[in-house]
Amino acid sequence: MARSGYAKGKNSGHLTEQLERKEKPSRTKGRISKRVSLARSIAREVAGLAPYERRILDMIKTGGSAADKRIYKFAKRRLGSHKRALVKREDIKAVNSAQRARQAGA
């Protein structure tokens, strides 16, 4: 907030200049770098899916009316939290769509 230089009032206080601060390292926590994303993609390519992930993929393929809910509940039981389950469900859906696109292209 801009100071007025007056001792009293809404913007009271000595006139000062705001300093630019460097971004804290803690602000970048959780951001995925190019190197990490490349390593993860190679690991996924080499190792493939975990058994529970294959089961989720199978649930997606068989579908059904409440497939999303069943997949969510299964993933939540395996991973332990709501957020992780939702992220995993979307991740496996992306894997499924990539497989289908690869089959359609070949």
Side-chain angles (χ1 to χ4, degrees):
M1 177 173 276
R3 304 263 171 85
S4 63
Y6 297 121
K8 296 280 182 188
K10 196 172 187 178
N11 303 325
S12 63
H14 187 70
L15 291 174
T16 57
E17 189 180 322
Q18 200 75 32
L19 293 175
E20 278 296 315
R21 287 190 169 172
K22 279 198 300 184
E23 192 178 46
K24 288 180 173 181
S26 63
R27 294 284 177 199
T28 62
K29 185 177 187 292
R31 198 178 293 163
I32 297 172
S33 65
K34 287 181 198 170
R35 181 177 173 161
V36 170
S37 62
L38 177 68
R40 285 182 186 171
S41 68
I42 290 170
R44 168 56 57 91
E45 204 175 302
V46 171
L49 298 172
Y52 82 95
E53 290 175 330
R54 269 190 244 114
R55 200 162 150 195
I56 290 171
L57 190 61
D58 189 48
M59 284 181 194
I60 291 169
K61 286 178 181 174
T62 54
S65 56
D68 266 9
K69 188 174 181 178
R70 269 195 2 261
I71 293 163
Y72 161 73
K73 287 175 89 173
F74 179 75
K76 188 172 184 288
R77 245 178 278 133
R78 294 298 157 111
L79 298 168
S81 81
H82 173 78
K83 200 172 189 178
R84 286 177 183 172
L86 293 181
V87 169
K88 182 58 73 176
R89 182 177 67 186
E90 296 312 309
D91 182 39
I92 302 297
K93 278 185 178 179
V95 167
N96 183 39
S97 61
Q99 279 182 358
R100 289 175 73 187
R102 205 176 305 125
Q103 284 176 351

